[in-house]
Structures are given as structure tokens and as C-alpha cells.
Amino acid sequence: MILCLVGGFVWNAFSQGLKEDYLRAEQVKESFSKVYNSPSSFSWTKEGDFFWYSKATPLGNEFWKFEVNTGNKSRLFENKVLVSALNSFEGIEVKEDNLGISIVEYDIDENLVKFRFEGYEWDFIPDTGELLKKEKINNATRKYWGQSTDDKGGDPVLSPDKSLSAYIKDHNLFLKDGEEEKQLTFDGSPGEYYAVDIKWSPDGKKIALTKIRPAEVRKLYLLESTPKEQLQPKLHERDYRKPGDALPIKIPVMVNLEMDKVHFFPLELIPDQYSVHRLEWRENSQSITFEYNQRGHQEYAVYSMYSDDGSIKNLIKEESPTFIDYSGKYYRKDLNNGSEIIWSSERDGFRHLYLYDGKEGRVINQITKGEWVVREVLEVNEETRSVLFLASGMNSQEDPYHTHFCRINLDGSDFEILTKEDANYSISLSPDRSHFIATYSRQDRPPVSKVYSLGKKVNELHTVEIADISDIEEAGWTAPEIFHTTGRDGSTDIWGLIIKPSNFDPLKKYPVIEYIYAGPHSSHVPKFFRPNYYGLNELAELGFIVVQIDGMGTSNRSKAFHDVCYQDLKDAGFPDRKIWITEAAKSRPYMDIDRVGIFGTSAGGQNAAGALVFHNDFYKVAVASCGCHDNRMDKIWWNEQWMGKIGPHYEACSNTVNADLLEGKLLLIVGELDDNVDPASTYQFADALIKEMKDFEFIMVPGMGHSSGGSYGERKRRDFFVRNLLGSEPPAWN
């Protein structure tokens, strides 16, 4: 073997990053996708005695139905029958192995399949092969995520008995009874108006709405250089609030028509608003409730206001010295006309459920408790006073991110973990909640789906499907290694994956590439079976060990684990990541941690570039796509959620402000039409690097939005790592 020294790196000549490696990576993309008999979702009939699903097979996608009581399963229809029927329509040509339909409903009594295809809704009767093309699907233009709504104008809103109508005119609230018009408020103006989201009380005798003091909305302008429909560039405009921008001030207002009174919620109780929302009437029409999220996300409250005298009750008050994760861990369910409220909180250090007295605003009891995390509430049964939910971290011998199906009573008694396999679970409940389908898998364990009865005891009834991975194993796929080690605090385990090329040779030395996404809104290392997740196996084929890690600062662990990100997004779990890679390499000498690269997109783009700005003692090569390189440049909700109000910490976390610290090889990729992360964030970072006379490479992809760069960006990313980590010259693509 010939060893060469290039740029300080030792690499194995003529063995990695060559054209045959690229070709094998392309083959992996296709061959590692051939996982069969693994349903992605299930749909139940209304009665709950049957469900149907689709699954990939060597002959194409097939649709199956399953009878819960007997365990009998059969094809929902034969593909060739539907294909023949579809191809009889002019302009349609479809093949059995590529049947791109989306089933909306299955009527088992009529044996009628309703599905969507080519922009239309269709009815299909498998027994006769009869196919009816119905109305065209109304594909309304999808709203941009940040688009402001018009809350000044709208249609009149009828009372529950339709005898009265309420509407906004001249910025005030008016009522019409027959032909008689009555003005109910008189203080509205363009600068402080009553909004059109009018809510009648159930008894039709009161109205609730909000009075708004608006704030100017920042605009994001994007220049499309190469529009398809014309030669000249086009300018696009988006509503795009950023951290520190002014926000509207909202005052909940209640109008009692019987008493001819208007009650205003005191603004001093809801100062410095981020949002006032979820304005709702109680069923008895005696009060409204709404939620208040204070700017900085350290206080979140639920208030009530009574319609007779305007009196106020603070039902729930959540406080945190760091942040309240309202965007990812919020849960509230009102029971029995709000006499009780189920509320989620991390106040004891882990996300748990609490039962509140919904009238007095006191905690009746903590429903769930322990050093584990409630992940998702699936069902609250008010009759049995029990909760069905997903949770993780209960078993110290298992991956703490594995979700399991659980049940508990509202008083906190009879807690049960209903699923037992050492794996990650997804659950589909029958409409009457008498049965459920559990699908479980891991990255190193293919999916199995089973159906269970859900009574006082859980009984396994039938196996629905067992995934077939023989084709990908034959093609050279091997399961990634699941590795964990202690993080920076010396006690908390950090979990991740290690992916090797299919022609792995333990006697060789491989550079390490980390795929990073450290967004605090979730955890990101896949726990379900996902071969070639994010194309990581393809990248490994070029001659790399590829890893993915969830460091501190990400979600779904303890509150302390999550709080590491507070006002410090540049941390991104890097102290844990470096320990994890170093520890993994101690028992894996083929991992060359003198050659470590990193890449990511969006928040991961910020992280990847930040590795060369703040951690270039360890990371040597980075590719950053569509990154938020200064959190003041990105959307308000995501960044203020973790960074809080604007302050010096924003500059401390900025790749742009700290561009002078960059060392190593960097490639920046950005789409010119990115309306998720302002592309100017990348341009400003590039400008700062130029001013510091730093060497880096830059690709702007015309016409592309928020992405990793598409197929061209993927090739450039691979080439960049091959050139700078392997010391090889990529193929001459031209």
C-alpha cells in the first residue's frame, strides 16, 4: 500500500474517493432502498374491525386490508385491475410497479376504494373493476409559513341560533339584529382596532374578541435570477419577522350583550407579549380562557375572564429561568367544561403531565412522574379517567430515546408500559380505542408490526407484517453501530450512530464525517429503521466513517440536558460530540480523528460552519448549507425560543461576527430563494470571511429554496470531502 502526505493528512492512495467508489455510492442509493413489507402508516375503518395499509414489494407498492378479529389479510385490490382501469382514460399511462395513488377512504361494506391520482378524486370498486373519475382536487395555493393574516376585514359571524350577526366596521365591533345595527365598541382606530376573529358564546348572549395594536411586519426580499417563465429576474416578497422585531399587542375583550357591558383584560397582567392566543368560551358561556406567552419565553400562562363582572383568574402559570419549550412540548386538554385541565410541564426536570383544577387554578396532582419523558399524548379517556401516551427513558438498560406506549390513570395510579421490545415504537389506535397496532424497530433492527387488544390487559393478537431486508443485505448493507458514551458532565450518556462503507476494511484508516443537526426543537439521530438515512451510507461508500450524534442542548431528555442550548446555540453539543467521537475511536482504530469533517443544513449549516469557527482544534473540513450564521438574521419564533430576547449573546454565537476565528476548509451552499432562513445570513458570513481574507468556497444555487443544494450540491459536498479529507481528486465530471 502506498501512503502519501497531502496537506498534513495521511491517506491511502488509489483506494478511496475514486470513480468506482462514486459509482458504488449511486448503486447504494437504489439498492439500499429495497426494504419490503414495511407499512409506513395504517388507516382504520370507522367500526375499527378492519384497517388497511400500503407496503413496498418487489412488484411495486401494494395495498392490503387486515381483519382484526381473525388476523386474515388480503389485497385491497389487484394492481393490474386498477392499472387497466386507469389506463383506459385518455392521457393516463401507469404501470403496475409504479402505482402512485393516495387512498383517502375505504368502505368495506360497499368494497369501495376512494383515492387521489393526477389531481382528481376517484372511486374504484375492485370486485367489478369499475372506476369513476370525480371532481378535481382544489389545490389552493399553500400559504407561506410566515405570512401575516388579514385580521381587519372579514364576513359577519352569525350567533349560534343565527338570529344575530357580529362584524367589524370602522375598526369597531357592530351587531345586527334583523335590519337594526348597533355599535358595541367605540374606541377602535387604525392604530388600535378590533380583530375579525369574533367568537360567540354558546348561549349567543356574549361575544369575545381581541383588540390589537399592530406592529410593522419586516419584509424579506428574494431575487429569482432565472425564472422559468421569463428572461428577466423576478423579485419575491415575504413577511418575515426576526428576533427583536416589534410584535402586536393583543387585549382580550368580552362583550356581554344582556348586561350591555364590555370587559377588557388588564394589559398590565400580560405585558411584553410574544403572543395572546387560543381565546375560547367555556361550554356554560360564563367565561373565556386564553393563553399568554411572554416575550423571552420564561413565563407562560392560562387565564380566564368571567362574562358577568369581568373578574379574572390565573389558572396556570408556568415559569422558567431559561426557556419554556412552548413550541415542542406544549400540551393542554380541558376536561368537563374546563373543570379540570391536563397540562404538560418540565417543572420537576422532566416533561410530565399535571392535573389542574380548572376553576381554582391549583394542581390537583402530578399524573406522571420519574426521570423519564412524556413524548406524546395519544388519548385521554374521560370515562375511565386514564391517559394513553408515548414516553421514553424509563428503562436504564435501553436507548433513552426509544418511545414506548404507556397508560396511566389521571390520579397517577396504575402506570403501565404496554410495549416491551427493546426498540422504538409508533402506535395506531383503533377508533374505539379497543385495539392498537404497534410498529417497532431500531436502526439495527428491521420493523415489525403487530395488532393488540387494549383492555384491562394488553394481548398480542396477530403479526401484521415483518419487514424483508434480504435485498439490502445482499447488496452489502450492514447495520450501523449504535454507540453511547458519557458526555461532558461525566454522568450523562450521549448516543449516536456509526456508519461504515459496504467494502469496509478494518485495517484501513478512514476519515470521520459527522452529519450534524443540533436544532434544540427535537433530537435527530434516527431511532426507527432507516437504511441510508439522509444519504449517509452513500457518503460512507466514498471512503469515510460517517457518524451522527445527539449532544446536549437537543430535546427529548431532561430539562437540564436541553437547557445547555439556552442563549448559546453555538454550543450545539460540541463538547459532547468531540468526546463521543474520541471515545468511539479508542476501540475502533480505523477511525482517523486527525481527519474529521462535518456537514449540515439550516441549523445544521450554522453548526457545521461553527465547528470551524469555534472548534477547529478538532474539525478540519466543513460543508454548511443554508445556514443561519447569525441568529438575528433568522425567523423570530425559532431563535427567540432558545436565545430569548436580543442581547450580547447573539453576537457571541454568530459565525459572522466571529469569522476571524475560522480555520480549516469550508464550503458554503445556499439557495437564492430560501424563504426559511434568510439567504443574506450566508452572504453576510461570506462577506465577513472575505474581509478577513479567509479561504473558502461558495455555491449559490439559482432558483433553489431551503435545501442542502439538491443533486448538484450533494455532488459538490462529496467532492469537497474527497478532495480535502482523502487527498484524492474527484472524477472529472465534465
Side-chain angles (χ1 to χ4, degrees), residues 4 24 26 70 84 136 184 203 231 261 291 301 340 364 373 404 419 442 448 456 473 546 578 628 651 672 725:
C4 298
R24 196 172 58 256
E26 287 302 307
T70 65
S84 176
K136 191 171 180 63
L184 300 179
D203 65 6
L231 174 65
K261 286 185 178 180
E291 298 183 4
E340 294 176 319
I364 298 173
V373 178
H404 282 275
T419 51
R442 299 191 315 219
V448 175
K456 288 185 178 180
E473 289 179 320
V546 181
K578 293 191 287 186
C628 167
E651 285 202 0
E672 69 173 352
L725 285 177

Side-chain angles (χ1 to χ4, degrees), residues 596-716:
V596 180
I598 188 169
F599 77 101
T601 301
S602 194
Q606 176 184 11
N607 304 147
L612 298 192
V613 173
F614 301 108
H615 300 278
N616 47 51
D617 60 322
F618 191 80
Y619 296 93
K620 308 302 180 186
V621 182
V623 180
S625 302
C626 291
C628 167
H629 297 289
D630 188 309
N631 296 103
R632 296 169 296 183
M633 291 295 294
D634 193 21
K635 51 199 164 290
I636 185 173
W637 77 265
W638 195 88
N639 294 273
E640 285 199 10
Q641 167 70 95
W642 320 114
M643 295 289 284
K645 297 179 182 180
I646 287 286
H649 53 287
Y650 274 82
E651 285 202 0
C653 287
S654 169
N655 292 337
T656 303
V657 172
N658 296 286
D660 62 303
L661 301 178
L662 183 132
E663 293 181 17
K665 302 289 186 178
L666 173 66
L667 169 61
L668 296 176
I669 301 175
V670 67
E672 69 173 352
L673 294 183
D674 186 351
D675 58 8
N676 185 328
V677 175
D678 185 347
S681 183
T682 296
Y683 303 150
Q684 290 179 1
F685 183 38
D687 179 63
L689 292 170
I690 289 168
K691 288 175 179 174
E692 294 294 335
M693 298 298 287
K694 297 288 186 178
D695 286 331
F696 68 101
E697 294 187 24
F698 176 85
I699 298 171
M700 186 276 284
V701 185
M704 185 163 282
H706 192 65
S707 79
S708 300
S711 56
Y712 184 75
E714 178 64 33
R715 193 177 81 187
K716 297 298 286 186

Side-chain angles (χ1 to χ4, degrees), residues 301-404:
V302 180
Y303 283 102
S304 67
M305 183 164 66
Y306 286 84
S307 58
D308 54 354
D309 59 1
S311 59
I312 294 160
K313 195 79 173 180
N314 185 185
L315 301 179
I316 297 173
K317 187 173 185 179
E318 196 72 41
E319 295 179 292
S320 172
T322 55
F323 57 81
I324 296 162
D325 185 0
Y326 78 94
S327 64
K329 296 175 182 170
Y330 166 87
Y331 181 80
R332 171 187 155 202
K333 184 173 179 63
D334 298 357
L335 308 177
N336 190 23
N337 190 34
S339 61
E340 294 176 319
I341 301 173
I342 299 177
W343 180 256
S344 71
S345 170
E346 292 186 282
R347 64 188 62 170
D348 76 348
F350 294 84
R351 189 197 185 204
H352 283 297
L353 301 177
Y354 294 76
L355 184 64
Y356 270 81
D357 181 320
K359 294 180 179 178
E360 298 301 319
R362 62 178 179 84
V363 176
I364 298 173
N365 62 268
Q366 185 171 345
I367 301 171
T368 60
K369 189 179 297 184
E371 293 188 357
W372 47 272
V373 178
V374 172
R375 297 284 292 274
E376 181 183 357
V377 177
L378 300 179
E379 173 78 3
V380 176
N381 189 319
E382 294 190 51
E383 291 184 9
T384 62
R385 294 186 63 77
S386 61
V387 186
L388 297 172
F389 61 98
L390 293 174
S392 59
M394 292 87 67
N395 185 351
S396 62
Q397 304 303 310
E398 194 174 341
D399 186 324
Y401 295 94
H402 283 173
T403 54
H404 282 275

Side-chain angles (χ1 to χ4, degrees), residues 433-447:
R433 301 336 192 204
S434 63
H435 296 85
F436 69 93
I437 308 162
T439 299
Y440 58 89
S441 69
R442 299 191 315 219
Q443 273 292 74
D444 61 350
R445 185 175 178 180

Side-chain angles (χ1 to χ4, degrees), residues 206 254 256 259 263 281 285-287 305-310:
K206 299 108 181 173
M254 189 159 30
N256 190 319
M259 303 175 69
H263 302 298
W281 280 100
S285 300
Q286 293 178 0
S287 63
M305 183 164 66
Y306 286 84
S307 58
D308 54 354
D309 59 1

Side-chain angles (χ1 to χ4, degrees), residues 274-556:
Y274 181 80
S275 67
V276 168
H277 60 284
R278 197 174 169 178
L279 182 66
E280 299 170 339
W281 280 100
R282 291 300 189 202
E283 293 172 12
N284 59 16
S285 300
Q286 293 178 0
S287 63
I288 59 168
T289 59
F290 70 89
E291 298 183 4
Y292 158 64
N293 187 354
Q294 190 178 75
R295 193 83 179 253
H297 309 302
Q298 294 178 310
E299 180 178 331
Y300 197 105
V302 180
Y303 283 102
S304 67
M305 183 164 66
Y306 286 84
S307 58
D308 54 354
D309 59 1
S311 59
I312 294 160
K313 195 79 173 180
N314 185 185
L315 301 179
I316 297 173
K317 187 173 185 179
E318 196 72 41
E319 295 179 292
S320 172
T322 55
F323 57 81
I324 296 162
D325 185 0
Y326 78 94
S327 64
K329 296 175 182 170
Y330 166 87
Y331 181 80
R332 171 187 155 202
K333 184 173 179 63
D334 298 357
L335 308 177
N336 190 23
N337 190 34
S339 61
E340 294 176 319
I341 301 173
I342 299 177
W343 180 256
S344 71
S345 170
E346 292 186 282
R347 64 188 62 170
D348 76 348
F350 294 84
R351 189 197 185 204
H352 283 297
L353 301 177
Y354 294 76
L355 184 64
Y356 270 81
D357 181 320
K359 294 180 179 178
E360 298 301 319
R362 62 178 179 84
V363 176
I364 298 173
N365 62 268
Q366 185 171 345
I367 301 171
T368 60
K369 189 179 297 184
E371 293 188 357
W372 47 272
V373 178
V374 172
R375 297 284 292 274
E376 181 183 357
V377 177
L378 300 179
E379 173 78 3
V380 176
N381 189 319
E382 294 190 51
E383 291 184 9
T384 62
R385 294 186 63 77
S386 61
V387 186
L388 297 172
F389 61 98
L390 293 174
S392 59
M394 292 87 67
N395 185 351
S396 62
Q397 304 303 310
E398 194 174 341
D399 186 324
Y401 295 94
H402 283 173
T403 54
H404 282 275
F405 189 34
C406 305
R407 177 168 56 190
I408 197 169
N409 293 331
L410 290 182
D411 63 4
S413 64
D414 295 335
F415 171 57
E416 294 179 271
I417 303 173
L418 304 177
T419 51
K420 306 301 182 183
E421 296 288 338
D422 179 0
N424 200 44
Y425 277 84
S426 66
I427 302 295
S428 176
L429 289 166
S430 66
D432 64 358
R433 301 336 192 204
S434 63
H435 296 85
F436 69 93
I437 308 162
T439 299
Y440 58 89
S441 69
R442 299 191 315 219
Q443 273 292 74
D444 61 350
R445 185 175 178 180
V448 175
S449 298
K450 296 183 178 182
V451 63
Y452 299 80
S453 63
L454 182 57
K456 288 185 178 180
K457 289 187 177 181
V458 170
N459 293 309
E460 180 183 326
L461 300 180
H462 313 287
T463 297
V464 181
E465 295 286 354
I466 299 175
D468 178 0
I469 64 169
S470 57
D471 277 17
I472 68 170
E473 289 179 320
E474 188 176 335
W477 179 86
T478 56
E481 290 185 63
I482 299 172
F483 176 72
H484 64 93
T485 191
T486 306
R488 74 183 80 176
D489 63 357
S491 59
T492 305
D493 278 347
I494 306 298
W495 289 71
L497 295 175
I498 301 171
I499 298 171
K500 308 183 194 73
S502 61
N503 62 350
F504 172 71
D505 181 349
L507 299 180
K508 288 184 178 179
K509 297 284 281 187
Y510 294 86
V512 177
I513 297 177
E514 179 182 355
Y515 166 55
I516 187 169
Y517 190 90
H521 54 276
S522 189
S523 51
H524 307 287
V525 176
K527 300 302 173 181
F528 286 116
F529 187 76
R530 298 280 297 275
N532 195 29
Y533 173 72
Y534 209 81
L536 300 186
N537 288 79
E538 298 170 52
L539 182 58
E541 286 303 307
L542 301 183
F544 302 108
I545 300 298
V546 181
V547 302
Q548 189 181 0
I549 308 156
D550 278 320
M552 289 186 183
T554 51
S555 191
N556 298 326

